[in-house]
Structure formats: structure tokens, C-alpha cells
Amino acid sequence: MTKNNGQEATTIERILKELEEKIDEQQFVKYLNEILSAIEQLEKTEAIKIFQKLIDEEKELLRSVAIYWLGELQAKETEEKIINSLRNDESTIVRSTAVQALGKLGSTAAIQALITSLQRDKEEQVRSWAALTLGDFTLERVINVLIQATKQDKEREVKTSARWSLNAIAKKMGYKSYYRLLSDLQAEETKKQKITCRFSEENKLERKANKN
């Protein structure tokens, strides 16, 4: 990124000010494209500063746009604020955008925030986005929470998203479907339980022998 930081920053601020007005979907896409064009001419740190200031804006559209671009810019220094938006923002749109941004960041803290969102967010849309976003991570704890969502979430959309992500994870791990993955996980869990029981029995026998 190069060129006239001041001019491009002013362009972004103008576009964001115009976004405060009511616009239709077609105009919104146009504005996002204009922002992208301006960002490409900016130093990354300058672009991040502009959007970071907007996370606490009163208008939900501006908060959402800011969080979206912070995710696209891989702004790890704003991770805590994005997680806070996911936990506490009253807007479903903002929380859904925060889910997607945290998926781009992909840190341990971001993944945990996504898991918590899938388990606890009150809105179906946010939980569904969390389930979809978690499909990018081939981690055992992610797999377990997605399995839980397919069984326990009350909304069909969330269950469908969780299954989609499980299939995506399974394919990344070399399985044809998540059913095969689940079968292996269950077999591994049974094996662990048998080993635990064996150690438990051996410990009991050892304690008994020591008493004698």
C-alpha cells in the first residue's frame, strides 16, 4: 500500500459519513467497493486507525462496516474490541459481522469467542454464522461443540450450519463425510475410556497390595 494517505483517508471518511444516510443494498455494495479502492492506496496501519475509531459508533451500520474491514485487514490489535462487540453489542448485524471478523483473525481467543457465541448467543442468525465460521478450524474442541450444536440447538438453521462445518472439517482431515469422522472419534473415545478403566483397576489393586 502506498501513495497519498491523507487523501485516501479523507475519501474513506467521506464514504462512511454518506453511509450514515439510509441507502439501499445496491448503493451499499458500491460504497464498499469504493472503500476497498481507497484502502488499497493506504498504509495498513492508517486504514486500521480509521475503522478502529468507529467500533463504538452509535449507528450499527458504521460499527458493522468497521468490524468487517478490521477483520479483512487482519487487525489483531483490535481483537479484544471485536470480541467485546460479539459479547455485548445489541445489534444482531454487528454481532454476526464480529463472528466473521474473528474467523479471519483465527487466534485461540477468537476461536473461543466463536465457540461461546455458538453456545450462548440468543439470536439464531449469530449462532448460525458462528457454526459456519468454526468450520475453518480442524480442532477437537471445535468438532465437539459443533456436534453438540447438531444435537442440542433448537433451530434448524444452526444445526444445518453445524453439519456443513463438520463436513468441511472432515474433508480437510481426509474423510469422505463427517459421519466417518464421528465414527473414528467415538472409537478413540471408547479406547480412552478402556485405558482409563484399566489404570483405575490397576491403581485399586496396587493400593490394596500396599495395605496388605
Side-chain angles (χ1 to χ4, degrees):
M1 295 188 218
T2 55
K3 307 177 187 175
N4 192 333
N5 283 345
Q7 181 181 344
E8 300 306 331
T10 302
T11 298
I12 291 176
E13 288 165 356
R14 172 188 60 77
I15 295 167
L16 292 171
K17 185 170 181 59
E18 291 177 17
L19 273 173
E20 294 184 33
E21 304 298 326
K22 188 175 181 181
I23 57 174
D24 60 32
E25 186 175 343
Q26 187 174 1
Q27 286 176 304
F28 184 66
V29 172
K30 170 179 168 285
Y31 281 125
L32 287 183
N33 287 334
E34 286 186 26
I35 290 174
L36 176 59
S37 178
I39 286 174
E40 288 174 345
Q41 308 304 318
L42 269 175
E43 295 293 336
K44 180 179 176 180
T45 52
E46 290 301 313
I48 289 172
K49 285 178 185 177
I50 292 170
F51 294 116
Q52 192 171 5
K53 288 188 286 186
L54 297 174
I55 291 182
D56 298 320
E57 269 287 330
E58 183 178 350
K59 292 184 179 293
E60 68 173 15
L61 179 59
L62 291 181
R63 298 199 304 277
S64 183
V65 168
I67 289 169
Y68 170 82
W69 283 112
L70 289 170
E72 290 295 311
L73 290 165
Q74 297 281 295
K76 294 186 182 297
E77 61 267 44
T78 65
E79 178 183 83
E80 188 175 340
K81 293 202 76 172
I82 296 173
I83 290 174
N84 186 60
S85 294
L86 177 56
R87 288 174 179 163
N88 301 315
D89 201 292
E90 294 182 359
S91 167
T92 302
I93 294 172
V94 173
R95 295 202 309 281
S96 296
T97 307
V99 162
Q100 296 167 65
L102 290 171
K104 298 280 186 182
L105 298 180
S107 69
T108 299
I111 292 170
Q112 185 54 52
L114 294 173
I115 289 173
T116 302
S117 177
L118 175 56
Q119 293 174 323
R120 299 182 184 176
D121 199 280
K122 62 184 179 181
E123 294 295 335
E124 170 188 351
Q125 177 183 328
V126 181
R127 297 198 308 279
S128 182
W129 270 112
L132 287 172
T133 304
L134 285 168
D136 291 334
F137 307 104
T138 53
L139 300 171
E140 185 175 357
R141 62 196 175 108
V142 168
I143 293 169
N144 288 335
V145 79
L146 288 169
I147 292 170
Q148 184 183 47
T150 65
K151 295 176 180 178
Q152 297 182 6
D153 201 283
K154 296 178 181 179
E155 302 298 336
R156 180 184 296 179
E157 181 181 347
V158 179
K159 291 181 177 181
T160 300
S161 296
R163 290 190 190 98
W164 187 93
S165 284
L166 284 168
N167 268 318
I169 290 170
K171 288 176 181 176
K172 289 176 188 175
M173 296 175 69
Y175 292 91
K176 290 184 178 180
S177 73
Y178 86 88
Y179 295 107
R180 295 291 182 89
L181 171 60
L182 295 187
S183 177
D184 277 8
L185 288 173
Q186 288 167 357
E188 187 66 25
E189 184 61 29
T190 300
K191 183 178 178 181
K192 287 179 183 177
Q193 288 174 355
K194 286 181 179 179
I195 291 171
T196 301
C197 288
R198 181 179 172 184
F199 279 128
S200 179
E201 289 299 321
E202 288 179 354
N203 288 336
K204 285 181 182 178
L205 291 172
E206 185 178 349
R207 286 197 297 271
K208 186 175 181 181
N210 288 337
K211 285 182 180 178
N212 294 335

